[in-house]
Amino acid sequence: MVTLTINGKQIKAPAGEMLLETIRRQDIEIPALCHHAAVEPFGACRLCTVEITRQSWDGWKNYVTSCLFPVEEGLIVQTHSSEVTRIRCTILDLLLASSPNSRVIQDLASEYGILASSYVVDAAGDDCILCGLCTRVCSELGMNAIATVERGRLKKVDTPFSEPSASCIGCTICAQVCPTGHIRFEERGLKRKIWYKEFKLIACSECGRSLKLTPEMKQYFSERQQLPEDYLEQCADCKQKQTVDRFNRIIDRSEEVI
Amino acid sequence: MENRFHVRPELCIACKSCELACAFTHSSLQGQPGKSRINIKVIKADESRLINTPLICLQCDEAACATICPTNALQWNLETGALVHHDLRCVRCHLCVAACPFGNIYFDPVTDYPVKCDLCDGDPMCVKFCPSGAITWLPLTEAEVNRIQPEINEEADTD
């Protein structure tokens, strides 16, 4: 355990924990778009920047991304000082220029008092802020179906050669974690389309309702997580019916208690 | 964990008080009820008889939901003995909902995250609102004794 000061309050935190986690545990809200607990911190969006100093620094200060900065003994942290707010405003100003149509960015920027970007706005800019959360989650789970392609202004998230990828299993996790909702997928009935690829969805073996899983997902995850595939065949509703049935057969004593 | 749910479907009158208690304990937006993690399933046993069964997470030791979760979002709270879902680690892949063999994990339509029974930090609210004693929260030994009472009585007779 280390002791540090956040916004004037003394706080204990487990050594090795990242500053962002500690700050959020205090119910202090700071924005972070590229952060997800399921993957290692990355520091792409820079919005979680905070001000740090120490007694011994004699008034000197430093600005660090809290998602990447481990807590230290005697650290003095300010999460909303005027300089931190100025830095965040600049970042949001830039994000608003490159993704002017993103609802998430607009809302966050207006929270910091920015209603229009002061930079040259890319009117055709999409909602992707290139934080790479989708690609990190995809590779963390072992699929590696998408990555950032091209460089500089042309950089974007895509499958290799913008073609349907053999590694994509249609799990839509990239779309689920995307902070701005840029990655989209279509789902109609038992069909799902994502990253130029069409998937059939598994239907419940009893009632035929969609399980919202693709056969590729079922095969991949049951092998990776070592759970027999037959766990993923029926919908929750049908399983509940079976459970009730079983309970009551036990109560009626027509079936032995296991 | 010292206590266990003791569910007796034959006493359940399907008043759904437990569902309400759960929904209001776990409100997803301020002042609004959340998705209930307990569900009374009513099925037709035969022409004249309905069976009501309160279904709630069994906190399986080897839980299928936790096994299939690729990001380890389901973790044990060792204090309460509950297998708790952590939204922060969740990537909403739907695998846990599909994997539970009893259908006891649900999707909250508001937050779009899976929800499951967290034992209300060791003091389940559903139990307090059950008027008929269909669902009780008993020390493990007592719940165990109640479950296999007939056999125990028989053994006691032979002694």
Side-chain angles (χ1 to χ4, degrees):
Chain A
M1 281 296 206
V2 295
T3 312
L4 67 161
T5 315
I6 299 177
N7 293 354
K9 206 171 131 194
Q10 283 236 328
I11 281 149
K12 276 194 191 312
E17 187 181 59
M18 294 300 162
L19 206 42
L20 180 64
E21 310 281 328
T22 320
I23 292 168
R24 289 209 164 155
R25 208 146 19 85
Q26 306 306 315
D27 282 335
I28 300 168
E29 251 191 66
I30 53 173
L33 292 174
C34 71
H35 181 74
H36 197 287
V39 288
E40 292 289 311
F42 194 63
C45 74
R46 321 302 288 180
L47 282 171
C48 65
T49 297
V50 293
E51 180 181 292
I52 57 164
T53 185
R54 288 175 173 281
Q55 284 296 338
S56 58
W57 285 8
D58 200 24
W60 286 86
K61 288 165 185 163
N62 195 6
Y63 298 90
V64 296
T65 44
S66 58
C67 66
L68 281 170
F69 199 87
V71 289
E72 281 171 12
E73 184 67 43
L75 209 61
I76 302 166
V77 182
Q78 285 291 338
T79 62
H80 287 85
S81 70
S82 57
E83 186 59 20
V84 169
T85 310
R86 199 187 63 78
I87 291 172
R88 270 186 216 139
C89 283
T90 309
I91 297 167
L92 285 167
D93 202 356
L94 285 162
L95 285 175
L96 198 58
S98 63
S99 305
N101 304 315
S102 163
R103 201 51 208 271
V104 177
I105 303 292
Q106 285 170 2
D107 287 352
L108 205 55
S110 65
E111 249 178 66
Y112 278 79
I114 302 166
L115 298 175
S117 178
S118 58
Y119 295 91
V120 178
V121 174
D122 179 6
D126 57 23
D127 291 357
C128 181
I129 57 164
L130 292 170
C131 68
L133 181 56
C134 49
T135 62
R136 281 179 287 140
V137 172
C138 193
S139 82
E140 171 79 23
L141 299 189
M143 279 90 73
N144 282 309
I146 49 170
T148 48
V149 296
E150 308 273 10
R151 287 184 193 179
R153 233 167 42 79
L154 298 174
K155 191 172 174 182
K156 58 174 182 177
V157 173
D158 210 342
T159 57
F161 311 110
S162 301
E163 283 169 9
S165 162
S167 331
C168 183
I169 57 171
C171 63
T172 72
I173 289 176
C174 48
Q176 300 285 3
V177 296
C178 178
T180 58
H182 170 66
I183 303 177
R184 299 214 172 88
F185 64 95
E186 280 171 42
E187 197 168 299
R188 277 207 194 93
L190 289 175
K191 270 189 188 154
R192 176 185 282 173
K193 208 178 162 193
I194 187 164
W195 294 117
Y196 325 110
K197 204 171 169 184
E198 245 184 70
F199 294 91
K200 263 173 79 178
L201 296 177
I202 303 172
C204 169
S205 63
E206 296 281 317
C207 67
R209 255 181 291 182
S210 166
L211 286 189
K212 302 205 168 195
L213 302 177
T214 63
E216 290 89 343
M217 278 174 82
K218 177 175 158 183
Q219 197 198 348
Y220 179 77
F221 284 112
S222 63
E223 200 182 311
R224 183 181 193 262
Q225 306 298 122
Q226 300 192 334
L227 190 80
E229 281 196 21
D230 52 7
Y231 275 83
L232 303 167
E233 270 161 12
Q234 281 148 6
C235 70
D237 204 41
C238 291
K239 283 179 178 170
Q240 284 199 336
K241 272 183 200 148
Q242 289 163 8
T243 311
V244 169
D245 213 41
R246 198 174 175 83
F247 268 11
N248 289 289
R249 270 184 287 144
I250 292 170
I251 292 159
D252 291 349
R253 299 246 150 233
S254 56
E255 191 171 303
E256 275 304 304
V257 178
I258 307 152
Chain B
M1 179 170 48
E2 287 173 350
N3 281 30
R4 289 283 154 101
F5 280 122
H6 187 224
V7 180
R8 299 170 73 185
E10 69 272 28
L11 296 182
C12 179
I13 54 170
C15 66
K16 310 220 172 196
S17 302
C18 54
E19 289 183 13
L20 275 177
C22 185
F24 280 98
T25 309
H26 300 97
S27 50
S28 49
L29 293 170
Q30 216 167 16
Q32 278 188 39
K35 174 92 186 156
S36 170
R37 293 109 203 264
I38 185 166
N39 183 14
I40 297 181
K41 197 90 190 157
V42 182
I43 59 163
K44 226 175 180 171
D46 48 51
E47 286 303 305
S48 58
R49 201 162 62 105
L50 289 174
I51 298 177
N52 319 315
T53 311
L55 287 175
I56 191 157
C57 174
L58 306 174
Q59 319 287 355
C60 313
D61 284 341
E62 284 173 33
C65 55
T67 311
I68 198 77
C69 180
T71 59
N72 234 338
L74 288 137
Q75 291 174 1
W76 290 100
N77 179 335
L78 296 176
E79 260 170 54
T80 60
L83 186 57
V84 182
H85 181 267
H86 296 274
D87 286 358
L88 282 176
R89 293 193 68 90
C90 178
V91 289
R92 293 187 275 207
C93 62
H94 293 75
L95 283 163
C96 54
V97 179
C100 175
F102 308 102
N104 282 336
I105 293 198
Y106 308 90
F107 251 92
D108 188 320
V110 178
T111 62
D112 204 20
Y113 280 111
V115 293
K116 73 177 285 299
C117 172
D118 56 3
L119 300 176
C120 298
D121 289 332
D123 188 18
M125 216 43 114
C126 49
V127 170
K128 295 185 180 171
F129 282 82
C130 177
S132 62
I135 177 161
T136 42
W137 182 240
L138 298 174
L140 179 58
T141 45
E142 205 179 317
E144 190 74 4
V145 167
N146 283 357
R147 184 169 78 106
I148 52 167
Q149 207 160 27
E151 282 88 343
I152 285 185
N153 286 347
E154 280 161 29
E155 278 168 28
D157 287 345
T158 54
D159 275 347

